[in-house]
């Protein structure tokens, strides 16, 4: 009975998992993302690769959940754990990138203010 409850809870998470997959796709489609302007090419490449991998893992989990039964949950559990672990690592990586963008934007704003005041003083 416990396995059936866990399977049901996993299936109930599908909308949230779909939101993760949608995030991965939408990030790659957006042109106005400051990533391209403020990050190094290798960071953008890693971000893209991780979005692709995470989206694929979520798709794999959906496929496993579709066919999982209370007697056969091993693969779904393993993929689910992989999604969780990868998502946690990816979130930390994205947070690092966003922090770097925020620092660079702050530095630019500070430079702009300094330039404005130095021109006004002349």
């Amino acid at each position: 009975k416990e396995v059936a409850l866990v399977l049901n809870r996993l299936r109930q998470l599908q909308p949230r998992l779909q939101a993760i997959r949608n995030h991965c796709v939408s990030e790659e489609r957006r042109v106005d993302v400051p990533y391209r302007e403020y990050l190094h090419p290798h960071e953008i490449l890693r971000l893209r690769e991780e979005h692709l991998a995470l989206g694929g893992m979520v798709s794999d989990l959906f496929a496993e959940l579709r066919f999982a039964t209370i007697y056969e949950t091993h693969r779904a559990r393993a993929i689910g754990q992989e999604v969780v672990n990868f998502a946690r690592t990816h979130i930390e990586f994205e947070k690092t990138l966003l922090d770097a963008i925020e620092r660079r934007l702050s530095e630019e704003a500070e430079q702009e203010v300094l330039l404005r005041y130095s021109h006004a003083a002349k």
Side-chain angles (χ1 to χ4, degrees):
K1 185 175 180 174
E2 187 177 315
V3 174
L5 289 173
V6 170
L7 252 178
N8 191 37
R9 289 185 75 204
L10 275 172
R11 288 181 174 134
Q12 289 173 355
L13 286 175
Q14 285 184 333
R16 291 182 180 175
L17 292 167
Q18 182 62 43
I20 291 171
R21 194 165 62 177
N22 291 346
H23 160 78
C24 293
V25 170
S26 70
E27 283 276 309
E28 295 309 313
R29 289 186 179 163
R30 289 179 50 182
V31 185
D32 60 339
V33 179
Y35 291 154
R36 288 168 186 79
E37 188 174 343
Y38 293 100
L39 298 177
H40 301 286
H42 70 277
E43 292 170 318
I44 295 169
L45 180 62
R46 177 177 167 191
L47 187 65
R48 278 200 170 126
E49 288 171 348
E50 287 191 11
H51 281 156
L52 185 63
L54 188 54
M57 284 184 223
V58 169
S59 294
D60 291 347
L61 181 57
F62 283 165
E64 283 301 319
L65 288 175
R66 188 175 308 124
F67 300 109
T69 67
I70 59 172
Y71 303 107
E72 183 55 48
T73 60
H74 176 72
R75 284 180 47 83
R77 283 191 348 226
I79 294 171
Q81 192 60 52
E82 187 179 352
V83 168
V84 168
N85 293 338
F86 193 89
R88 284 181 178 147
T89 302
H90 176 73
I91 289 167
E92 285 302 313
F93 175 61
E94 246 189 87
K95 184 182 178 314
T96 302
L97 296 180
L98 293 172
D99 288 347
I101 290 170
E102 183 179 16
R103 266 192 320 278
R104 290 174 187 147
L105 286 169
S106 178
E107 289 167 3
E108 281 183 5
E110 195 175 297
Q111 288 297 319
E112 194 172 301
V113 168
L114 288 173
L115 284 172
R116 196 174 310 146
Y117 281 112
S118 66
H119 286 325
K122 292 180 183 180

